[in-house]
Amino acid sequence: MATNAATARSLSVPGATLHYQVEGSGPVLLLSQSGEGDADRTVDLVPHLADTFTVVTYDRRGLSRSTLDDPARPLTMAEHADDVARLLAEVTDGPALMAGFSMGGAIGLQVVARHPGVLATLVAHEPVTPRLLPDADRAEHAAELTAIQEAYTAGGPAAAFAAIARHLGIDPAHDDTEEGLTPQPMTPRRQANFGHFLGTEFTAVTTDACDPAEPVRAAARAGTRIVAAVGRTTRPTVHTYRCALALAGLLCTEPVVFPGGHNGATAFPRATARTLKTVFAR
């Protein structure tokens, strides 16, 4: 396990300034976080990867230290993908590896579609991508995300957490985890991130019009490998799980099973690191 401290940097991009962190040595691996997670979300995962990879983590625009020029302006998934491409151009001259979890997986698929050749391999773990699903399921998934937004507006974080546990199968208070994890309390900064995620980024997901098959076509043209991934304990009825299955179907592959559930990267960082190393070594 690597123990070197991460180097913090910033990058100006159109409409925002991105905060990112670099740690380790080896091929560049960018981690794109789930939910309201910033660069520190995977604090327990990164040390178990930094002995093999140059690990890049970042705050998505609008989260924590990545500030927006105009906070009132809506965001798009395309902007998130462009941010990743610009960020990777700062740290490497060649195709990089990327592991995206939930929201991060959806962003990764956009990167493949919009910036062919930037990624060598993308692991998309249960991406929040309603357009991967058949029409009826897509409408259900979008309605779930809207219901979570409405719960947050009406009742704040507590109501939103209950809705997330109900709709997405995530219940941090009761899910199993590895031992010795770094506490991640609901600080004021994390609360602000949560509000941005639900209020702004959910809308970016539900209004995105990217052709769900385009990342697969673009990957084939550019020689990028896309790996669909699911959590071992995620309920098969959860729509993000079904998004990963749909992606695997487009790829004509079987999804790779990762430890834990939808939040397995934070709940089982050691086991997740081992699985990522195995996938990227193939």
Side-chain angles (χ1 to χ4, degrees):
M1 182 177 74
T3 57
N4 293 336
T7 300
R9 304 174 185 173
S10 63
L11 175 66
S12 294
V13 297
T17 300
L18 301 179
H19 169 90
Y20 67 103
Q21 298 171 186
V22 181
E23 181 173 349
S25 60
V28 170
L29 167 58
L30 183 137
L31 301 179
S32 190
Q33 316 287 0
S34 63
E36 84 294 351
D38 60 16
D40 301 325
R41 167 62 65 86
T42 44
V43 62
D44 294 320
L45 173 60
V46 170
H48 298 283
L49 294 169
D51 59 347
T52 304
F53 306 102
T54 299
V55 184
V56 181
T57 57
Y58 74 111
D59 301 350
R60 293 193 305 271
R61 61 168 62 208
L63 297 181
S64 296
R65 297 147 292 196
S66 288
T67 56
L68 297 169
D69 294 350
D70 181 4
R73 179 178 168 276
L75 300 183
T76 66
M77 296 298 290
E79 287 176 311
H80 279 316
D82 294 348
D83 287 346
V84 168
R86 292 187 178 99
L87 180 54
L88 288 175
E90 286 292 303
V91 296
T92 182
D93 294 328
L97 308 171
M98 180 173 177
F101 306 96
S102 190
M103 181 70 173
I107 293 170
L109 291 172
Q110 292 266 351
V111 174
V112 174
R114 290 178 61 82
H115 300 279
V118 165
L119 298 180
T121 299
L122 166 68
V123 174
H125 184 281
E126 299 189 10
V128 183
T129 311
R131 292 185 65 82
L132 282 168
L133 301 172
D135 289 346
D137 291 342
R138 179 189 309 167
E140 284 184 4
H141 191 11
E144 284 181 347
L145 299 177
T146 300
I148 293 169
Q149 284 184 310
E150 292 172 347
Y152 178 76
T153 299
F161 284 139
I164 288 171
R166 183 168 61 254
H167 292 304
L168 301 182
I170 304 169
D171 189 0
H174 299 95
D175 290 345
D176 291 333
T177 68
E178 292 177 347
E179 295 182 355
L181 301 185
T182 301
Q184 299 202 12
M186 188 55 68
T187 60
R189 185 168 79 177
R190 190 176 173 196
Q191 289 182 21
N193 287 348
F194 197 67
H196 174 79
F197 173 56
L198 295 185
T200 301
E201 293 189 311
F202 264 33
T203 302
V205 169
T206 57
T207 59
D208 181 61
C210 179
D211 179 351
E214 181 54 29
V216 176
R217 292 192 293 263
R221 292 191 297 266
T224 297
R225 182 170 65 119
I226 300 176
V227 178
V230 296
R232 184 179 304 280
T233 61
T234 305
R235 297 194 308 269
T237 55
V238 171
H239 279 107
T240 50
Y241 183 99
R242 290 155 69 183
C243 287
L245 293 185
L247 176 61
L250 289 173
L251 296 165
C252 298
T253 62
E254 292 296 320
V256 174
V257 179
F258 271 65
H262 189 69
N263 279 350
T266 53
F268 293 91
R270 300 173 187 86
T272 296
R274 290 193 294 270
T275 305
L276 283 172
K277 288 178 179 179
T278 298
V279 169
F280 288 129
R282 292 175 183 168

